[in-house]
Amino acid sequence: PGPPADENKSHFAKFAQSFKLPKQHEALARLKALADEVGEFWADTCLAEAEKGHGHAVLRRLFDVALGTGVDQDHPKLVRAIRILNDRLAERVLKEAQERQKKDAFQEEMGKMPRVGAASEMGDKIEQDVFAAVKEGVPENDPRLQQAMEICKALRQKDGERK
């Protein structure tokens, strides 16, 4: 096809689909600049919210929005946000593991023997949380995840002793 001005325009919809804008077209340049600006805004927002102390779930949503605007995953602000995101996730996994262990110990201290299998179920949930965190990007050798796995093993051991 030649220049669009020379094409048959009697079926305009077909005509409009028959060509693309030149790479340096002003409208495309403005659109790219706007997309870069929006992406930078979301990268800034993600990092700012991470630094404010928001939890993993909030940060994950902001991170996904930033990526959806076209920001490169290797953008320095997103790399910092990911590091914070992974820290929060590892902290959450460990905190929930500790809470499960305390719950089990509390039931034992109150004199009522927890039902057989309950501690193993809690251990299974901890293990699932650890696997999910690794899948999200937290390094497998993160000390908090290793500590959570130790709690998992301890709960399973307790359950074995109760049988």
Side-chain angles (χ1 to χ4, degrees), residues 35-163:
D36 290 346
E37 186 180 326
V38 169
E40 193 67 27
F41 168 81
W42 284 107
D44 286 340
T45 301
C46 187
L47 181 58
E49 296 303 307
E51 289 172 344
K52 285 180 189 175
H54 283 282
H56 174 262
V58 170
L59 297 178
R60 172 50 65 190
R61 284 193 300 273
L62 289 172
F63 184 81
D64 289 343
V65 168
L67 289 179
T69 64
V71 174
D72 186 20
Q73 215 167 352
D74 296 333
H75 188 289
K77 291 175 184 172
L78 289 186
V79 169
R80 282 181 41 209
I82 269 291
R83 195 172 303 123
I84 294 170
L85 184 78
N86 286 342
D87 281 345
R88 296 276 161 67
L89 180 54
E91 288 168 12
R92 189 184 87 203
V93 168
L94 177 58
K95 181 181 176 200
E96 289 176 2
Q98 290 168 334
E99 287 172 0
R100 288 180 175 122
Q101 189 175 39
K102 284 179 188 173
K103 180 180 176 182
D104 184 70
F106 179 75
Q107 287 180 344
E108 208 171 43
E109 287 172 12
M110 296 302 292
K112 55 180 182 177
M113 185 61 84
R115 70 175 172 78
V116 174
S120 288
E121 289 169 6
M122 287 190 272
D124 292 345
K125 288 178 183 172
I126 293 169
E127 187 176 55
Q128 289 170 0
D129 290 346
V130 169
F131 290 154
V134 169
K135 187 176 180 184
E136 286 280 333
V138 178
E140 238 178 289
N141 62 353
D142 185 287
R144 293 162 292 194
L145 294 187
Q146 291 178 346
Q147 195 175 346
M149 285 305 292
E150 289 302 317
I151 292 171
C152 170
K153 291 175 189 173
L155 284 169
R156 289 177 175 159
Q157 180 66 34
K158 276 277 195 192
D159 215 30
E161 293 169 6
R162 293 176 183 148
K163 290 182 180 179

